[in-house]
Amino acid sequence: IQKVRLQSFHAQQVFERGFETYANAIFSLSVVLRIVGTEDQAREVEGIIDERLNKAFEDIRAEIARLEKIAENNGIEFTGIEYSSPKDIEAKITSPRAVRYVGLVREFDTLVSKLDTLWLSGVIPDSNYSASIYEWKRRLLRLAGAIRTIANRAMIAARKKEAAGEAKAEDGATSVPEAIDAENAATAA
């Protein structure tokens, strides 16, 4: 269990709505897919997830850098905002990728703090502030949902392959080792 303090209400919402969905999907991929499927299938799917996580981190950090530049150009220092209701959350870590999502939520918390500072300083208008917060929340929650969808599809595909291999073996068309070889050849192709 990793304990994290989230300052902003928006980051708290993203964690509450997205983390468990994401963590369960990642656990399925990291552990269960390796049992039902193959190591190669698991690695391929993990590569897709890592790519999406890396892109999200790059984009959020680029936005933070952009906001810092706006603050610098307007003579505003990010000394930190004290929020009225920070919250200590506990994330049940089931894999290294679960830690990465928590890190992404923490980056979002930092982004919100910078947006709040610029908004309260009058540099960012209300409409831009609201739109930015909404878009980032939506993006992080969609990422969690997309990972869940990827995990579900990977599990279904692995189970279908497993069932097809068992059906061939039961029909007597091939022996179990031949079915495994055929499955491995199909996976490699």
Side-chain angles (χ1 to χ4, degrees):
I1 293 178
Q2 182 180 26
K3 294 182 181 183
V4 177
R5 176 167 278 222
L6 297 175
Q7 300 294 325
S8 70
F9 172 72
H10 302 294
Q12 294 166 14
Q13 274 188 324
V14 168
F15 179 84
E16 289 168 4
R17 293 180 185 171
F19 180 75
E20 191 170 328
T21 298
Y22 175 87
N24 290 339
I26 290 300
F27 178 78
S28 291
L29 289 174
S30 297
V31 178
V32 180
L33 184 58
R34 284 183 165 77
I35 294 169
V36 225
T38 66
E39 181 67 24
D40 289 340
Q41 288 172 326
R43 282 190 195 140
E44 182 181 344
V45 174
E46 288 171 347
I48 293 167
I49 289 168
D50 287 342
E51 188 177 298
R52 289 188 180 203
L53 284 170
N54 291 340
K55 175 74 172 131
F57 269 108
E58 286 173 22
D59 291 349
I60 204 164
R61 287 177 178 153
E63 180 65 6
I64 289 170
R66 187 184 76 80
L67 294 175
E68 288 172 347
K69 184 71 174 163
I70 291 171
E72 182 184 320
N73 292 341
N74 287 284
I76 297 169
E77 291 185 27
F78 290 119
T79 56
I81 292 179
E82 283 194 39
Y83 287 89
S84 58
S85 300
K87 188 174 184 180
D88 293 321
I89 53 109
E90 290 186 354
K92 292 180 183 177
I93 304 303
T94 56
S95 79
R97 285 173 186 84
V99 173
R100 292 192 68 202
Y101 192 81
V102 171
L104 196 55
V105 173
R106 291 178 81 182
E107 290 281 335
F108 176 62
D109 199 32
T110 300
L111 173 73
V112 171
S113 173
K114 294 186 183 307
L115 276 168
D116 285 348
T117 300
L118 292 171
W119 174 61
L120 292 171
S121 299
V123 174
I124 295 178
D126 293 351
S127 59
N128 291 10
Y129 170 79
S130 297
S132 186
I133 294 285
Y134 174 78
E135 286 301 317
W136 277 104
K137 280 170 72 171
R138 191 179 102 201
R139 183 172 176 182
L140 295 177
L141 291 173
R142 287 177 95 187
L143 176 65
I147 301 302
R148 180 185 60 207
T149 300
I150 290 169
N152 288 342
R153 287 182 181 163
M155 295 297 290
I156 289 168
R159 285 191 174 123
K160 280 183 182 177
K161 282 185 179 183
E162 180 184 49
E166 288 174 4
K168 282 184 182 180
E170 287 174 7
D171 288 344
T174 59
S175 67
V176 173
E178 289 171 336
I180 292 170
D181 289 341
E183 183 178 330
N184 289 339
T187 304

